[in-house]
Amino acid sequence: MSMNVGSGLGSEEPEVMMDINTTPLIDVMLVLLVMLIITIPIQLHAVNLDMPVGTPPANNIKPEKVQIDIDENSVVYWQGVAVTAAELESDMDAISQLPTQPEVHIRPNKGSRYAVFANVLSTSKRKGLTKMAVVGSEQFIQ
């Protein structure tokens, strides 16, 4: 007893199937994917820091504060006195030579030009000032 599954005529040969059987390929790819996932090390999103132990030493010396203001007309003020770019550089050079550098607080106005603010920052970096702070930035929040 024979059974012919095909085009319906009993005497014809069945057609040859030309498609590739992709099931074994998919099985192999899944096995390789699982092996890859298992062998990849787990990435920890932690930064290890060596923190000091004990109580910090008391700092009784309050650092001096230098206030640099930039008004809406992009005029730079050093401790409330208007200065030019050359005077600003000489003042920054003078405080960079001190044994303990003072804190420099820069307060730009919202209407001032960014180029003036960037010039103040680049001058402070060029002179080696490290204790810099930009204060009054809450005015830039929209």
Side-chain angles (χ1 to χ4, degrees):
M1 182 175 202
S2 69
M3 182 176 190
N4 188 5
V5 180
S7 62
L9 298 175
S11 64
E12 292 182 9
E13 294 274 333
E15 290 185 27
V16 178
M17 186 174 202
M18 298 300 288
D19 296 334
I20 294 176
N21 186 5
T22 58
T23 304
L25 295 174
I26 293 172
D27 291 344
V28 168
M29 284 185 3
L30 289 174
V31 168
L32 290 174
L33 181 65
V34 168
M35 289 175 56
L36 179 70
I37 290 172
I38 290 173
T39 57
I40 291 177
I42 297 173
Q43 297 294 323
L44 300 176
H45 297 289
V47 177
N48 296 328
L49 297 175
D50 295 329
M51 300 298 290
V53 271
T55 57
N59 188 5
N60 295 334
I61 302 171
K62 297 292 181 190
E64 179 187 347
K65 293 180 185 171
V66 173
Q67 182 72 33
I68 298 176
D69 294 315
I70 304 172
D71 68 359
E72 62 274 353
N73 297 325
S74 300
V75 177
V76 180
Y77 294 91
W78 179 276
Q79 299 287 65
V81 178
V83 293
T84 63
E87 292 172 338
L88 180 69
E89 278 197 47
S90 65
D91 289 340
M92 285 188 178
D93 195 30
I95 65 169
S96 67
Q97 304 299 325
L98 296 175
T100 56
Q101 288 184 1
E103 291 180 1
V104 178
H105 294 186
I106 302 173
R107 184 185 309 262
N109 188 297
K110 188 175 184 176
S112 65
R113 291 192 346 230
Y114 177 75
V116 175
F117 175 70
N119 183 31
V120 171
L121 284 181
S122 65
T123 303
S124 65
K125 183 173 181 174
R126 200 171 45 250
K127 297 300 179 182
L129 297 175
T130 56
K131 298 179 181 178
M132 302 289 296
V134 179
V135 295
S137 58
E138 60 273 354
Q139 65 181 324
F140 297 102
I141 298 174
Q142 302 268 347

